[in-house]
Amino acid sequence: MEKYEIVIGLEIHAELCTESKLFCNCAYTFGASANDCTCPICLGMPGTLPVINRRALEFAVRAGLAMNCEITSYSKFDRKNYFYPDLPKNYQISQYDLPLCEGGKVTFEFINGESERVEKTVRLRRIHLEEDAGKSIHAEVTNDPTRSFMDFNRAGVPLMEIVSEPEIHSPEEAVAYCRAVKEILEYIEVSKCNMEEGSLRCEPNISLRPKGSQELGTRTEIKNMNSFQFLLAAMKYEVTRQARILDSGREVVQETMLFDENTGKTVAMRGKEEADDYRYFPEPDLVHVQIDDEWKRAVKSDLPELPADRRKRFEGEFGILDHDAKLLTEKRDLADFFDETTKKLAVFFDEATIETKERNSELTTCVKSCVNWIIGDLRTLLKAAKIDIQDSKITPEHLVDLILYLEGKKDRKLEGPNAKVVLNDAFETGKMPEQIAKEKDLFAITDDSIIESAVSEVLEEHKDGAVKDYRNGKQEAIGFLIGQVMRATRGKANPQRVNQFLREKLSD
Ligand code: ADP
Ligand code: MG
Ligand code: ZN
């Protein structure tokens, strides 16, 4: 393997989440009854005429701008001819020589072979628009080996194909690239990017070449990968397979492969067809597309802050670690939530009558706490409930309230363990932390004498056990005793104070 350099280029297909299909008025819902989302146009009936969906163009332009492409001022659709049951017209309307977007680049971070975090930019060749095909339903679903069925619901759904240059050099890098593209598409809200439902499909083209060589080797393409895990496994397998072929002095055959999820191997599906085989020709039923500058500007000004920029801003503005910033910005809704929470925290400290320096350090403390709560407990709760933050009962106000109590910025305080209890409750009920803490009597004990007497009681109770152990040199026993006092005070005592009192009394 050391002899070869891996070269990978990706074709990513993303279904656009427009209300209607690319050339007709049908709405498409994943999982709808077979053929419910169809009309004569997407069924390819003779005599019907397609009309371009303006929103689909806009979405593709938005994606193009988000990935630094040049939006071409003149573009057209072409017929790609082939016969397949899931293609009712026997041709797919796609774009051949004049795609909507050209060039472009995607910058992302990944962990390289030496476990270093590196930044990489992959250039794009083009982004074009095409229609998706329908689906054949075979025996696996029907349990009837004698017949197959057709579901044309997906036929005509707008599909964007994002084609990269062949300049990715490891399977891990390829997956990181795909994740970065997915994140961007999710941020700009042009595709649901649901891989299980097939609204995002990645097709890697893979070749090997002798290290130092500039020429590209013969590639194979792996069709329609719909999970990052399988994508990675398939590429690794294919790299090893090709290396073995080259090692033995044979040549790699250019072909299209399928990944078998059960065996973990790639198998040849068909030989590589060339553009000639498709007899592409201009679609005569559609007008040419001209995107004017004004439209381009409008779409551009509507773009949200993109994940990579947001990550850099979070790192710069709040000193958040890159690993945490990545977790925070993976999903736009969570990043938005974080932004809103920090804004509200800033307002709190702006209104407090404290000096600027103090204000900044207090805000930083609270923002760090906010990061930990979001990427920790809150994400765990959301995952367990299988919901997104905007569908949960937790609002930025909840988190601000919680953090201010936890960090002791209000008249009363919540200790860590009880803050967890409060968050769980708020997640269930939507009540504000303050109310929950009051109702459940969870605010911290401020009176040291109460903590001291709890400590005394615990020491008395365990005088023959843990206390003896500690005095005999077993340091760990203190942890047990702290736990007992925390339990006795129902988590309302400050653990550092408890520790301090325990040590004082034990050394008497
Ligand atoms: P098609 O699959 O339509 O025939 P292209 O020649 O446009 O396509 O290439 C499709 C993808 O394959 C692109 O992402 C490109 O970067 C990649 N690719 C092309 N040649 C190679 C190669 N020798 N090794 C790896 N990837 C390649
Ligand atoms: Mg291809
Ligand atoms: Zn239709």
Side-chain angles (χ1 to χ4, degrees), residues 328-339:
L328 267 184
T329 52
E330 249 167 29
K331 294 256 175 282
R332 179 172 162 194
D333 55 357
L334 216 56
D336 285 345
F337 183 88
F338 172 73
D339 255 338

Side-chain angles (χ1 to χ4, degrees), residues 11 13 80 161 203 205 219 221 223 256 270 272-273:
E11 294 161 89
H13 283 102
K80 180 177 179 178
E161 180 169 338
E203 299 181 0
N205 291 262
R219 70 179 149 136
E221 171 175 350
K223 271 283 162 207
T256 302
R270 56 166 191 253
K272 179 70 204 176
E273 57 297 282

